[in-house]
Amino acid sequence: MKQLKYLPLLLVVLALGVVAWSLLTYEDNLLWKLQELNLHMDTSLFFKQQMVVPGGLLTYLGTFFTEFFYHPWQGVLMLCAWWALLVWLSAKALSISMKWCVLLLVPVALLLATNMELGYWIYYMKLRGYFFVGTIGLSAAMASVWAYRSLPAKFRLLAIIVFSIILYPLLGAYGLFALLLMGLLSWRMSDMSLWWKNINFAWVLMSIAFVPQIYYWWVYYQTNYDYLYMAALPLFDLDKSYPEYYLPFILLGISYVIMAVPVPAKLKTLLDKTPVWLACQVLLLALMVISVKHFWYCDFNFEKELEMRRAMEDSNWEGMLRAAADLEEEEPTRAIVMMKNLALFRKGAQGDQMYHYRTGAKASNAPMKVNMTQIVGSAIYYQYGQANYCYRWCLEDGVEYGWRIEHLKLMTRCAMVNGEYAVAKKYIDQLKHTRFHRDWAINQEQFLNHPEKMKDDAEYAIIQRLLMKEDHLGSDNGLAEMYLMNVLMDINSTDPLVQELTLLSAMWKKDIGVFWPRFFNYANLHQGEHMPKHYQEAAYLYGHLEHQVDISNMPFDEDVKRNYDEFMQQAQRCAGMTEEQMKPIFYPRFGKTFYYEYFLIRNQKIN
């Protein structure tokens, strides 16, 4: 029917439109973060570096398109355009009518699932351009299969030989998968004899088995042999292997195999009947929605970390605090707490407001151990003047997981504040070869030529003020918060800004002996000013716990004393309960006090 001619096209557009809307509405910060964890440079050297491993062309193109997530809508449009192309190529390559457009959308749904299942894996993913690699790889595979199917029968064996030579180095595992589909598709071709079908399929199997081996011994000898057949596929392997993350890839492969194998004539006739066809479409659509929903990683704290880190990059302290304020029903991770404290510190409000936000130490929602250094630790080190530690972690992560925009920008800043201008120039020159960070790099050049301008720059001025006087570097054992607090606690300074950090870190450490000299130093540096609420609470609590300092003449606010008395009365009523049982009871009334932090927040040292 003519009126239904364009229905498949409309369904594909509608499906991709829903996906685009969902990504831009719910994953805007994730998409931005992906380009920060990405690096693509317009140099021949960068291209050559990608091509030293099988599937290098995919990583080169993947990193190129990931750049466009700098403006998330641009990257999403390109990703959806690739998916539309994949649907069309799959229909052509596998000779499937567009009336089965829902079936052709199944691989798209599974590709979406492979991207959205990651969560914290984005920080540990070594495959460059991951978000686009699978889509581009399958698109190229389908184009190759279509070319194979379009050739006359007598040339198809030669085509398999040629494709077996060129696809693996360019597409890695996706090239091997294309060969498999060519072999399977041969069984559906009526212009080939059974003998030629067997020959083609046998050659495909031999190519899949031996071509990677040949390339390994002669070209890609630097490739890890254990992952020779997984080139251009992600590796979910840290402290151990996590095979559950490969399930969408397995389903993706199965879906294409089903579309490629011959369909018995009776079954094909049955499937073409309108009621059966319609039921299959509805069932496939339901399965796609369920699958995507199942694999789509959703975690409130993860999303807040991304939102706050993005605001930090823009020095948007108010934006960070707005994000932190929306945590009343969720215990935050320490990364969120540290970013919130940083924002309050920059606004000069930490002493009065740091417990007005939800506090906690919830572990990251991930199957593997997640270190704060990979999430936000490097940037936090820089923001508190620990340039050497920031630089050290950027360097180590760059070597381990690949160089990223985030690394280069932070290392540029560290080199600048340390006066290492030749080093800074090296990173600036690299960033000038990127698409969206070129302007940032050019702006940094003004400080290379005129370092004195940093004193008047809103960002650099405060970092230089926080820099440690002595240059040193030790080991933090991956415990960024604990190490930072220990370092800050031991600083002696007459600078009110720096000295307040020593008081705050002493409160974090819950070390009464260290707290009192920091407290009195703060009081001396701020004579005539009202003592911030949380500093009063700490002093009032410690005065009652150890009685080593006479606090009877200190001018505590009435609500500070009243909250302490009521907290202790509530603690007596809850005697015998565990801390986890006490938290929901105490938080509504005392969650915005240091008393709650001191007694009920215990595991800040987890990462």
Side-chain angles (χ1 to χ4, degrees):
M1 298 175 64
K2 290 185 178 180
Q3 60 267 36
L4 299 179
K5 179 179 179 181
Y6 296 103
L7 181 59
L9 176 61
L10 291 175
L11 287 175
V12 171
V13 172
L14 177 62
L16 294 179
V18 170
V19 170
W21 175 83
S22 300
L23 288 172
L24 291 174
T25 302
Y26 299 108
E27 304 295 347
D28 180 73
N29 293 311
L30 171 65
L31 299 176
W32 175 85
K33 186 64 177 181
L34 288 173
Q35 63 82 32
E36 286 286 296
L37 299 177
N38 179 68
L39 178 64
H40 180 91
M41 294 189 291
D42 58 359
T43 64
S44 59
L45 177 61
F46 182 81
F47 176 76
K48 293 175 182 177
Q49 288 174 332
Q50 308 314 303
M51 299 304 291
V52 298
V53 295
L57 180 62
L58 293 183
T59 60
Y60 180 80
L61 294 174
T63 56
F64 171 77
F65 285 103
T66 302
E67 278 190 304
F68 290 92
F69 284 133
Y70 183 84
H71 300 295
W73 67 269
Q74 292 184 6
V76 168
L77 285 180
M78 291 182 178
L79 186 59
C80 288
W82 270 108
W83 282 336
L85 177 63
L86 177 61
V87 169
W88 181 74
L89 287 172
S90 298
K92 292 294 185 181
L94 303 175
S95 190
I96 296 176
S97 171
M98 283 302 294
K99 68 178 288 186
W100 289 94
C101 63
V102 177
L103 176 63
L104 292 167
L105 282 169
V106 169
V108 172
L110 291 170
L111 283 168
L112 176 62
T114 64
N115 285 343
M116 304 315 301
E117 70 170 343
L118 292 179
Y120 285 96
W121 278 106
I122 64 172
Y123 299 105
Y124 301 98
M125 185 60 60
K126 296 183 180 181
L127 178 62
R128 298 170 181 267
Y130 172 90
F131 237 64
F132 280 91
V133 163
T135 297
I136 299 173
L138 285 174
S139 298
M142 290 301 104
S144 302
V145 173
W146 184 20
Y148 167 77
R149 191 179 65 82
S150 302
L151 290 171
K154 61 183 179 180
F155 293 119
R156 286 178 185 145
L157 179 59
L158 177 61
I160 289 177
I161 296 173
V162 173
F163 280 131
S164 67
I165 295 172
I166 65 175
L167 289 184
Y168 180 71
L170 296 178
L171 307 181
Y174 296 97
L176 300 179
F177 186 63
L179 292 175
L180 176 63
L181 293 180
M182 291 176 194
L184 293 173
L185 200 61
S186 298
W187 295 96
R188 287 173 47 186
M189 296 179 178
S190 58
D191 60 345
M192 293 176 64
S193 66
L194 180 60
W195 188 85
W196 276 108
K197 290 177 181 179
N198 288 332
I199 290 295
N200 281 17
F201 193 70
W203 192 271
V204 162
L205 294 180
M206 287 191 299
S207 297
I208 292 174
F210 295 112
V211 165
Q213 300 284 339
I214 294 171
Y215 271 106
Y216 174 76
W217 289 109
W218 291 96
V219 182
Y220 300 123
Y221 47 85
Q222 294 180 335
T223 302
N224 189 327
Y225 184 84
D226 293 338
Y227 303 114
L228 198 59
Y229 293 91
M230 296 184 65
L233 291 175
L235 300 178
F236 298 102
D237 189 0
L238 283 175
D239 52 332
K240 63 177 183 178
S241 182
Y242 297 88
E244 62 272 19
Y245 284 91
Y246 293 105
L247 181 57
F249 292 91
I250 295 171
L251 295 175
L252 185 59
I254 292 174
S255 68
Y256 270 114
V257 168
I258 291 174
M259 288 189 281
V261 297
V263 179
K266 290 184 178 180
L267 179 59
K268 188 176 187 304
T269 301
L270 177 63
L271 292 174
D272 284 336
K273 292 182 178 180
T274 301
V276 177
W277 169 82
L278 185 60
C280 289
Q281 304 298 299
V282 173
L283 178 61
L284 285 171
L285 185 60
L287 289 174
M288 281 194 294
V289 172
I290 293 171
S291 297
V292 171
K293 189 175 186 301
H294 171 75
F295 287 109
W296 197 306
Y297 179 83
C298 296
D299 180 70
F300 190 79
N301 280 334
F302 177 70
E303 294 164 7
K304 284 298 173 184
E305 288 169 358
L306 294 173
E307 181 182 356
M308 295 177 74
R309 179 65 183 91
R310 186 177 184 180
M312 186 200 299
E313 184 64 24
D314 297 328
S315 298
N316 182 5
W317 314 119
E318 286 290 351
M320 294 172 68
L321 294 177
R322 282 195 300 271
D326 186 24
L327 285 165
E328 286 302 310
E329 302 301 324
E330 183 75 21
E331 181 182 357
T333 61
R334 293 308 298 175
I336 292 175
V337 174
M338 286 199 73
M339 286 189 280
K340 175 263 297 180
N341 287 341
L342 170 66
L344 287 172
F345 171 67
R346 287 303 186 88
K347 291 181 65 62
Q350 194 168 355
D352 281 311
Q353 299 180 25
M354 65 177 162
Y355 302 127
H356 287 201
Y357 299 80
R358 182 80 190 210
T359 190
K362 188 174 182 179
S364 300
N365 182 19
M368 69 289 194
K369 178 176 171 57
V370 175
N371 290 319
M372 193 191 299
T373 50
Q374 276 76 44
I375 300 172
V376 72
S378 298
I380 288 287
Y381 274 136
Y382 170 76
Q383 294 291 347
Y384 281 109
Q386 303 297 307
N388 287 340
Y389 273 90
C390 173
Y391 191 93
R392 171 262 179 105
W393 276 110
C394 287
L395 190 64
E396 290 194 12
D397 286 348
V399 172
E400 180 69 19
Y401 305 111
W403 296 107
R404 300 164 173 175
I405 291 292
E406 184 176 78
H407 294 152
L408 297 181
K409 292 173 75 173
L410 282 172
M411 289 194 293
T412 299
R413 291 166 168 144
C414 291
M416 283 289 195
V417 297
N418 281 336
E420 300 166 340
Y421 304 118
V423 176
K425 185 179 186 306
K426 177 177 68 174
Y427 301 127
I428 288 173
D429 289 343
Q430 291 177 325
L431 287 166
K432 285 167 67 176
H433 285 286
T434 65
R435 180 176 300 272
F436 294 105
H437 299 276
R438 173 179 169 81
D439 290 342
W440 184 90
I442 291 175
N443 181 63
Q444 296 301 306
E445 287 187 312
Q446 64 175 308
F447 302 116
L448 289 179
N449 303 322
H450 300 283
E452 67 277 3
K453 287 186 176 182
M454 284 193 286
K455 295 180 180 179
D456 300 319
D457 181 76
E459 176 189 338
Y460 282 126
I462 192 168
I463 302 299
Q464 287 185 320
R465 190 174 169 186
L466 295 174
L467 283 177
M468 296 192 67
K469 302 303 181 184
E470 296 182 2
D471 191 16
H472 79 285
L473 184 64
S475 174
D476 60 5
N477 295 314
L479 302 175
E481 183 179 14
M482 181 175 71
Y483 183 83
L484 180 61
M485 293 298 105
N486 285 337
V487 169
L488 295 176
M489 186 176 66
D490 292 335
I491 295 175
N492 290 313
S493 174
T494 56
D495 184 331
L497 183 74
V498 179
Q499 195 281 324
E500 185 171 11
L501 281 179
T502 70
L503 175 58
L504 289 164
S505 57
M507 290 173 61
W508 180 93
K509 188 74 172 178
K510 300 176 183 177
D511 188 318
I512 300 177
V514 174
F515 169 81
W516 284 118
R518 302 292 183 261
F519 177 79
F520 290 126
N521 193 13
Y522 180 91
N524 289 331
L525 292 172
H526 296 81
Q527 292 185 26
E529 301 177 18
H530 181 262
M531 179 67 70
K533 191 76 66 177
H534 298 315
Y535 304 160
Q536 289 190 51
E537 291 169 344
Y540 196 74
L541 172 64
Y542 291 158
H544 282 82
L545 287 181
E546 293 198 350
H547 304 286
Q548 293 182 354
V549 174
D550 183 9
I551 62 172
S552 60
N553 295 321
M554 293 184 183
F556 293 104
D557 295 348
E558 288 303 317
D559 60 335
V560 170
K561 295 185 286 186
R562 182 175 62 254
N563 287 339
Y564 173 81
D565 293 336
E566 293 180 6
F567 185 97
M568 291 307 173
Q569 292 169 9
Q570 182 68 46
Q572 290 178 353
R573 289 192 291 269
C574 294
M577 291 185 179
T578 66
E579 291 180 0
E580 292 304 316
Q581 291 172 329
M582 294 170 68
K583 280 183 179 181
I585 298 174
F586 277 74
Y587 185 79
R589 173 66 180 85
F590 304 105
K592 296 181 179 180
T593 68
F594 177 72
Y595 311 132
Y596 182 90
E597 171 80 8
Y598 183 83
F599 288 106
L600 297 176
I601 302 299
R602 294 290 186 184
N603 53 339
Q604 301 102 312
K605 304 174 185 179
I606 59 175
N607 55 29

